Amino acid sequence: MIKDNIKILFDKIEQRCESCGRDFNELTIIAVTKNQLIEKLYEAHDSALIHFGENKAQEFKQKVELFNKPVHWHFIGHLQTNKVKYIIDAAEFIHSVDSLKLAEEINKKANLINKKQKILLQINTSLEESKFGIISDDNIFELYEFSSRLENISVEGLMTMAPFTDDEKIIRNSFKSLRFFKEKLEQKYNTKLNELSMGMTNDYLIAIEEGATMLRIGTAIFGERS
Ligand SMILES: *Cc1c(COP(=O)(O)O)cnc(C)c1O
């Protein structure tokens, strides 16, 4: 079943890439494995998925310990500073950096293991108070400047979660605004940011059209979470 889901998913992604002139190969498809049994991860891996994402620090650590294939691990959820220690060894990317304090702690822990940690800055593009992530140009500039000066951190791009709605225009605007933030940072700091992590089961096709490089997909691969 997972195998079929992945085939359907890949077909849809490929078709959308074609219709909007993008290259399928420049997309990283992250299987979001939260709440899934380890067997399911093997099934996904058998269908050529090699990027996995978790949103809780302890569960991330458990999955990494249980799953004995060399895959790319992404931490995608809200991260408290006291839990950085659970994920720092295995996380190739941390998608959800939204404060100076967190960036500082990641830098500190990465330094201890001599690692340059790739991070994304999480932006709140939906203006919902309940969502994590930073808002406003000033805060984003401040966090970017601070993080990019840290020795053991590499800022690779931006991440967002679109609001939960059926209104395609609202979702699209949220993705557009992430892309605009990326362009603003690139211009202001004369730099290049590689990644835009945006798009989940409900909205990944829109995200592709708006320039996503990383899709974080759970339900479309594994079915509804229990
Ligand atoms: C759960 C989760 C996803 C995947 O959600 P689906 O709708 O199941 O595809 C993506 N990103 C984050 C941050 C998540 O927590």
Side-chain angles (χ1 to χ4, degrees), residues 181-221:
F181 276 127
K182 174 173 169 288
E183 286 162 7
K184 260 191 240 178
L185 287 170
E186 288 179 330
Q187 220 163 38
K188 186 171 162 78
Y189 299 103
N190 190 25
T191 186
K192 177 89 182 80
L193 294 170
N194 298 318
E195 308 292 352
L196 280 178
S197 169
M198 58 190 197
M200 311 179 10
T201 293
N202 280 326
D203 51 25
Y204 66 92
L205 294 173
I206 305 171
I208 292 170
E209 291 176 345
E210 295 304 331
T213 62
M214 292 175 156
L215 309 174
R216 308 180 310 268
I217 301 187
T219 309
I221 293 172

Side-chain angles (χ1 to χ4, degrees), residues 61 112 120 150 165 170 193:
K61 185 173 155 60
L112 291 176
L120 307 178
L150 297 172
T165 168
I170 294 177
L193 294 170

Side-chain angles (χ1 to χ4, degrees), residues 22-57:
R22 294 201 55 199
D23 180 357
F24 181 85
N25 295 311
E26 63 185 39
L27 290 179
T28 302
I29 299 163
I30 301 168
V32 176
T33 55
K34 65 188 185 203
N35 296 3
Q36 304 297 342
L37 298 172
I38 209 79
E39 298 86 80
K40 307 276 178 187
L41 276 68
Y42 285 105
E43 278 185 65
H45 187 261
D46 285 342
S47 291
L49 285 178
I50 52 167
H51 290 265
F52 290 89
E54 279 287 334
N55 72 333
K56 298 229 166 63

Side-chain angles (χ1 to χ4, degrees), residues 16-103:
R16 189 57 58 106
C17 282
E18 205 162 296
S19 72
C20 71
R22 294 201 55 199
D23 180 357
F24 181 85
N25 295 311
E26 63 185 39
L27 290 179
T28 302
I29 299 163
I30 301 168
V32 176
T33 55
K34 65 188 185 203
N35 296 3
Q36 304 297 342
L37 298 172
I38 209 79
E39 298 86 80
K40 307 276 178 187
L41 276 68
Y42 285 105
E43 278 185 65
H45 187 261
D46 285 342
S47 291
L49 285 178
I50 52 167
H51 290 265
F52 290 89
E54 279 287 334
N55 72 333
K56 298 229 166 63
Q58 270 111 329
E59 203 184 331
F60 176 95
K61 185 173 155 60
Q62 278 176 2
K63 288 268 179 34
V64 169
E65 284 168 1
L66 282 171
F67 189 69
N68 58 11
K69 299 267 184 195
V71 292
H72 306 273
W73 290 102
H74 297 252
F75 189 81
I76 62 174
H78 182 66
L79 184 58
Q80 289 165 285
T81 51
N82 63 343
K83 295 192 175 160
V84 172
K85 57 176 187 260
Y86 295 125
I87 68 155
I88 194 74
D89 288 303
E92 182 167 325
F93 281 86
I94 300 173
H95 288 232
S96 41
V97 178
D98 61 357
S99 73
L100 305 182
K101 208 175 88 194
L102 179 58

Side-chain angles (χ1 to χ4, degrees), residues 68-166:
N68 58 11
K69 299 267 184 195
V71 292
H72 306 273
W73 290 102
H74 297 252
F75 189 81
I76 62 174
H78 182 66
L79 184 58
Q80 289 165 285
T81 51
N82 63 343
K83 295 192 175 160
V84 172
K85 57 176 187 260
Y86 295 125
I87 68 155
I88 194 74
D89 288 303
E92 182 167 325
F93 281 86
I94 300 173
H95 288 232
S96 41
V97 178
D98 61 357
S99 73
L100 305 182
K101 208 175 88 194
L102 179 58
E104 194 166 32
E105 176 65 12
I106 291 171
N107 183 62
K108 200 170 108 196
K109 289 286 190 288
N111 181 264
L112 291 176
I113 57 170
N114 214 358
K115 177 185 190 187
K116 188 122 180 161
Q117 178 65 54
K118 293 179 187 169
I119 67 164
L120 307 178
L121 308 182
Q122 182 173 354
I123 314 288
N124 180 341
T125 53
S126 66
L127 309 180
E128 281 173 27
E129 279 170 38
S130 61
K131 287 269 169 75
F132 296 110
I134 40 174
I135 357 176
S136 99
D137 287 17
D138 284 348
N139 290 335
I140 293 165
F141 292 148
E142 184 190 29
L143 182 56
Y144 178 80
E145 280 180 34
F146 181 80
S147 305
S148 57
R149 276 197 227 105
L150 297 172
E151 189 83 10
N152 290 82
I153 276 183
S154 167
V155 183
E156 299 286 321
L158 306 178
M159 181 272 226
T160 200
M161 288 173 86
F164 190 73
T165 168
D166 290 332

